[in-house]
Amino acid sequence: MTEMHFKSVIDETGDIWFFAYGSLMWNPGFNAKETRKAKLKGWQRKFCVSSEIYRGTPDQPGLSLGLDAGGECQGLALSIAQTDCERVFDYLSNREMLEKIYRCVPVEIELDDHTVKGYTLVVNRDHALYVGEMSMEKTAERILHASGKNGSNRDYLAATVKHLDGQGLNDKMLNTLLRLVNQNV
């Protein structure tokens, strides 16, 4: 694998589970060998990453989702076949790790019937793009007005909510946030 953060963390053979909690659920950019509903304890999905490229600009930054410490998160576990690991993790490195706000960590992913060892991306709280705590109103305001290389921040939020709801994984915070954004459109 290329000079990436994944190689320093993932040092094993065989298929690898990866926990997706944001756009990787509805737009992974690769074919997973298997996809399962999953839960991750000790981490929560939050709009805590300032986005100045993909969902905003330096003048009008948007927000991206990150896994921050605390709580728990429902998402999808993606099984990456051993034969695809190098290609997929190179792709993920180029997609998710360019700004170095995320770091890849080993986690225990809860599936319906058992727990598996896997990996996910968590936010680096010491990074300049980490925004920490914001009120729901301020978060909604920032999402409403931002748009970047990958489209509007509102569409990113709406697609994430739609995918979670479609999987039966209701995220009350994201649903409330989408209602706030839509009230101001």
Side-chain angles (χ1 to χ4, degrees), residues 97-153:
M97 308 287 276
L98 293 177
E99 296 166 315
K100 297 179 177 57
I101 180 119
Y102 301 112
R103 56 191 173 90
C104 184
V105 298
V107 291
E108 295 291 320
I109 303 170
E110 293 183 20
L111 305 177
D112 290 332
D113 53 355
H114 66 290
T115 300
V116 296
K117 179 182 177 186
Y119 298 87
T120 196
L121 297 176
V122 300
V123 70
N124 174 2
R125 286 183 165 194
D126 295 327
H127 197 283
L129 293 176
Y130 178 74
V131 295
E133 296 298 322
M134 290 176 63
S135 70
M136 289 288 274
E137 292 76 17
K138 186 170 180 154
T139 302
E141 177 79 14
R142 194 158 164 184
I143 289 170
L144 175 64
H145 297 292
S147 188
K149 178 176 135 182
N150 289 357
S152 81
N153 211 169

Side-chain angles (χ1 to χ4, degrees), residues 5-29:
H5 301 106
F6 291 106
K7 185 168 180 145
S8 63
V9 175
I10 301 171
D11 184 26
E12 59 190 78
T13 58
D15 298 347
I16 295 176
W17 286 99
F18 191 83
F19 183 79
Y21 55 87
S23 63
L24 286 172
M25 290 186 305
W26 46 270
N27 182 25

